[in-house]
Amino acid sequence: MRRSLFIQGPISVAFISAQIRKHQFKTDIGANQIFLGQVRADQTTNGLVTGIEYTAYEQMALDIMEEIRASLFEKYPIRCIHVYHSLGLVKPGGCSLFIYVSAAHSEAAFLACQQLLSKVKKQLPIWGKEVMDKQQYQWKVNTMTESI
């Protein structure tokens, strides 16, 4: 059974903490790598970003996420992967992306998390519409360094 990777609105600290707490008794894990994506209040030519409204092609994103998970488990000796992404409006300071990778050793967890972040941003059909203070909006463009 697949679980959804989507959460309506910002991802709460309580949710993140609960997910991490679930792993405290797994004795084959020696490293946990966490990435939290937070909405910024960027000043753009169209105004100040007051939030990002996320939408997605959910079923396609779930299918692609399963492929990404399988490829990372094949490439790295990792124990688990969790990805959660917001849908709907997330205001500056709010968490919109939570990635959690566990492994026996830190290098595998770190490298897999880095590659997972890159793949999520490049491959998943998730869109962010930046909402501006001047009643305008613009579509967010994800950028990643090519070193990963």
Side-chain angles (χ1 to χ4, degrees), residues 1-141:
M1 178 181 124
R2 279 199 291 200
R3 68 193 133 107
S4 177
L5 70 108
F6 295 109
I7 293 178
Q8 199 61 41
I11 302 167
S12 71
V13 172
F15 178 84
I16 294 166
S17 177
Q19 299 310 307
I20 294 168
R21 196 170 33 252
K22 289 177 185 178
H23 292 79
Q24 71 185 15
F25 299 110
K26 295 185 178 183
T27 59
D28 62 339
I29 292 173
N32 298 294
Q33 185 67 33
I34 299 167
F35 173 83
L36 301 175
Q38 180 173 309
V39 173
R40 298 181 309 274
D42 287 344
Q43 181 65 52
T44 71
T45 55
N46 290 326
L48 180 69
V49 175
T50 60
I52 298 179
E53 190 174 329
Y54 292 99
T55 57
Y57 184 164
E58 293 181 48
Q59 188 56 55
M60 182 183 283
L62 289 169
D63 292 343
I64 294 170
M65 189 63 232
E66 285 301 311
E67 293 171 11
I68 292 169
R69 282 176 54 85
S71 72
L72 291 173
F73 274 111
E74 188 175 304
K75 184 173 183 177
Y76 299 103
I78 52 181
R79 303 287 194 263
C80 65
I81 293 175
H82 301 280
V83 177
Y84 299 96
H85 201 294
S86 293
L87 292 179
L89 183 65
V90 179
K91 294 183 178 180
C95 180
S96 60
L97 177 60
F98 169 37
I99 293 176
Y100 184 87
V101 178
S102 296
H105 301 284
S106 61
E107 184 178 24
F110 179 76
L111 293 172
C113 187
Q114 234 181 358
Q115 190 169 43
L116 179 56
L117 173 61
S118 178
K119 288 176 178 290
V120 164
K121 290 186 128 199
K122 289 178 183 177
Q123 295 179 22
L124 294 188
I126 300 172
W127 302 278
K129 182 170 75 173
E130 293 179 315
V131 180
M132 309 296 174
D133 62 344
K134 298 177 182 175
Q135 305 299 323
Q136 295 184 8
Y137 71 89
Q138 66 186 21
W139 290 101
K140 181 160 179 42
V141 176

